[in-house]
Amino acid sequence: MGIEQIIFYLFSGILLVAAVSVVTVRNPVYAALFLILAFFSSSAIWIMLEAEFLGVTLILVYVGAVMVLFLFVIMMLDINIDIMREGFIRYLPVGLVIAVIVAVEMIYVLTADSLNIVMPAAKAADYSNTKELGGVLYTDYVYPFEIAAVILVVAIIAAIVLTHRKRLPNVKSQKPSQQVRVKRDDRVRLVKMEAESKPNASTRGGQ
Amino acid sequence: MDSLISIWNTVPEALQTLIVILLKIVAIVLPLILAVAYTTYAERKIIGYMQVRLGPNRVGPKGWLQPIADTVKLMFKEIILPEKANRFTFYLAPVIALAPALVAWAVVPFSSGLWLADINVGLLFILAITSLDVFGIILAGWASNSKYAILSAMRAGAQVVSYEIAMGFALVGVLMAAGSLNLREIVEAQAGGLSHWFAWPLFGLMLVYFISGVAETNRAPFDVAEGESEIVAGFHVEYSGMAFALFFLGEYANMLLISAVASILFLGGWLSPFESLHALTQLPYIGLLFDNGIHWFFLKVAFFIFLYLWFRATFPRYRYDQIMRLGWKILIPVTLVYIFAEGVAIYLGWKPWLS
């Protein structure tokens, strides 16, 4: 067993344990943390498949952005764990049946003759997965890629429109752009006063 | 010496690689920790002089041993676990805060040939790893079971996620100019002396990157996650001793990392500004000083670190909504326009940078 295989089994093992723990641990924050661990391990496996761009992007997008928001929401909500777990045993048989079906399907597909692909030879060290992906995305698949981009933009705008509701009248809010532009003259007024003719001796300390 | 080499040759090859990598890691992390310790000293000294006072000057000659004394003090302090804190997460958080700050140094090229890993997606790797820092803060805020800590975690989370977008766009500009995600190739694309550095065509992106970097590391003037006047000390209010020190280490290691990446992306990393002046680089002995080398990298990192400290001594703390406004409504539109303009410049072949 080469060192590559040892690393592969190590990360696969961690991935499986983490994935199972996501479902079984009691504390939802721990579940989110295990999900992060699962993302990490699968990213390591992708990197072993010489798909380093996808592997790093997985961490960047899912762990760095999505999971932060996930954790955020979980921590804000005071989730009652007992109520959450009430249906666990009741739905377990259904879940098991679905799990077995999915497993059988996957085994069937992976062992099918039509999918009997020979393992491609390892690429040279200077092979850039990023360049390859970019080349394919912007030539052969440029329309699907751009359509996906448009859909994302629509989703972003929709999310902003949905949350940007009109506030009640008479609600006071701060306008930072005006606050930033404030000059000294808007706030400070210097008043010139005549010096008093006879200064009070008691206030003139020292000298 | 010969006997040592013969012993070395008996070690299996896989183990040899492992030992070499481990030694390289030690050779990076140990100086890094030392640099972190002395960055705190530099911070106190520089801000001291800016405020017309002396700064630390009691421990050792001119206070040079102050960071060592601080470390010893922190190590012997008790780590207090709040009664209703989540024990596991409470201890996990400082580790998660420090680890990414150290891991990211794996791909930083210090000088030509001096790096731990030279990977194709170095830039993306750094962006991905630095995006993990926020977990340390969020977990610390939640695990402490304190309202100040959770408020700070919310602030920090929102702030870091927002500024990551502006930072990512600034990096896209560099990626377009260099045509590579590999940090070594990005530095090599800037070869040819001072005028070839990306700081000139991408000056706006450099500003955006560094401002986002200051916000990412939760440093003044964007340090609302700590905000001692509003939320006492933010996410690490319940931490003491070494657990607090790990957060501290992580923050400073991140500052060094942001400075190192900024100098690699925009100031040519280890490249010398006098590279093209052969009269200088060919001089006997002192020519080495003017030639490319790791000392230029350190000098540039020190420059950015000085900017960090200068900002801290100069600017008052931003209000939270103004931070968000700066990130979303100013920095992101600026980068978008800049990237578009850069695309046009590349199309037109703007020598010597964008061709």
Side-chain angles (χ1 to χ4, degrees), chain B residues 50-72:
Chain B
M50 283 179 180
Q51 296 168 346
V52 204
R53 51 189 178 80
L54 285 175
N57 60 355
R58 284 287 171 266
V59 191
K62 293 184 187 294
W64 285 336
L65 296 181
Q66 184 69 45
I68 313 284
D70 287 341
T71 318
V72 172

Side-chain angles (χ1 to χ4, degrees), chain A residues 44-112:
Chain A
I45 290 173
W46 274 5
I47 289 174
M48 288 188 71
L49 287 169
E50 299 180 356
E52 71 270 1
F53 181 79
L54 292 177
V56 176
T57 314
L58 180 73
I59 294 183
L60 182 63
V61 175
Y62 281 92
V63 181
V66 175
M67 286 315 292
V68 174
L69 300 178
F70 247 68
L71 262 182
F72 232 76
V73 173
I74 292 171
M75 287 172 180
M76 290 298 109
L77 304 172
D78 194 16
I79 298 174
N80 192 337
I81 301 162
D82 294 329
I83 292 175
M84 283 247 316
R85 299 188 62 86
E86 255 175 14
F88 193 78
I89 299 295
R90 227 175 80 207
Y91 297 121
L92 190 65
V94 185
L96 275 180
V97 169
I98 293 175
V100 168
I101 290 174
V102 170
V104 167
E105 277 176 349
M106 281 170 80
I107 292 169
Y108 177 71
V109 167
L110 289 175
T111 54

Side-chain angles (χ1 to χ4, degrees), chain B residues 216-298:
Chain B
E216 286 268 290
T217 43
N218 285 316
R219 290 284 301 181
F222 303 121
D223 56 345
V224 289
E226 286 170 36
E228 45 297 68
S229 51
E230 311 136 35
I231 46 177
V232 284
F235 59 92
H236 55 56
V237 61
E238 305 287 353
Y239 283 85
S240 61
M242 233 20 222
F244 165 75
L246 287 188
F247 281 118
F248 204 68
L249 268 176
E251 181 181 327
Y252 281 78
N254 266 324
M255 277 165 64
L256 285 166
L257 181 74
I258 296 283
S259 306
V261 174
S263 53
I264 286 168
L265 299 184
F266 299 103
L267 298 185
W270 66 82
L271 299 176
S272 153
F274 310 109
E275 198 182 8
S276 50
L277 300 172
H278 292 292
L280 275 177
T281 54
Q282 302 291 333
L283 286 173
Y285 306 116
I286 55 165
L288 273 179
L289 275 181
F290 290 111
D291 210 351
N292 300 334
I294 193 167
H295 54 287
W296 288 109
F297 178 71
F298 287 150

Side-chain angles (χ1 to χ4, degrees), chain B residues 17 25 69 72 139 151 175 209 212 218 230-231 236 249 260 268 272 284 292 296 311 324 328 332-333 338:
Chain B
T17 342
I25 291 174
V72 172
L139 286 179
L151 277 174
L175 154 70
Y209 177 81
S212 320
N218 285 316
E230 311 136 35
I231 46 177
H236 55 56
L249 268 176
S272 153
N292 300 334
W296 288 109
F311 290 168
M324 285 316 213
W328 286 99
I332 292 177
Y338 215 105

Side-chain angles (χ1 to χ4, degrees), chain A residues 27 29-30 33 36 40 52-53 56-57 59-60 63-64 67-68 71-72 75-76 125 127-128 130-131 174 176-177 179-180, chain B residues 86 88-89 92 120-121 124-125 127-128 131-132 134-135 138-139 142 150 153-154 157-158 161 164 179 181 319 321-322 325:
Chain A
N27 192 331
V29 172
Y30 287 174
L33 290 179
I36 294 170
F40 255 99
E52 71 270 1
F53 181 79
V56 176
T57 314
I59 294 183
L60 182 63
V63 181
M67 286 315 292
V68 174
L71 262 182
F72 232 76
M75 287 172 180
M76 290 298 109
Y127 164 77
S128 173
T130 319
K131 253 182 199 148
Q174 304 194 346
S177 53
Q179 292 174 330
V180 169
Chain B
N86 183 310
F88 174 72
T89 329
L92 183 72
N120 284 330
V121 286
L124 212 56
F125 179 84
L127 196 62
S131 71
L132 303 181
V134 65
F135 281 109
I138 291 187
L139 286 179
W142 177 76
I150 194 89
M154 285 170 63
V161 171
E164 225 155 61
L181 280 169
R319 215 175 56 204
D321 60 322
Q322 289 179 348
R325 175 176 168 272

Side-chain angles (χ1 to χ4, degrees), chain A residues 12-32:
Chain A
S12 310
I14 295 175
L15 175 58
L16 286 177
V17 171
V20 171
S21 307
V22 172
V23 192
T24 53
V25 289
R26 296 189 71 89
N27 192 331
V29 172
Y30 287 174

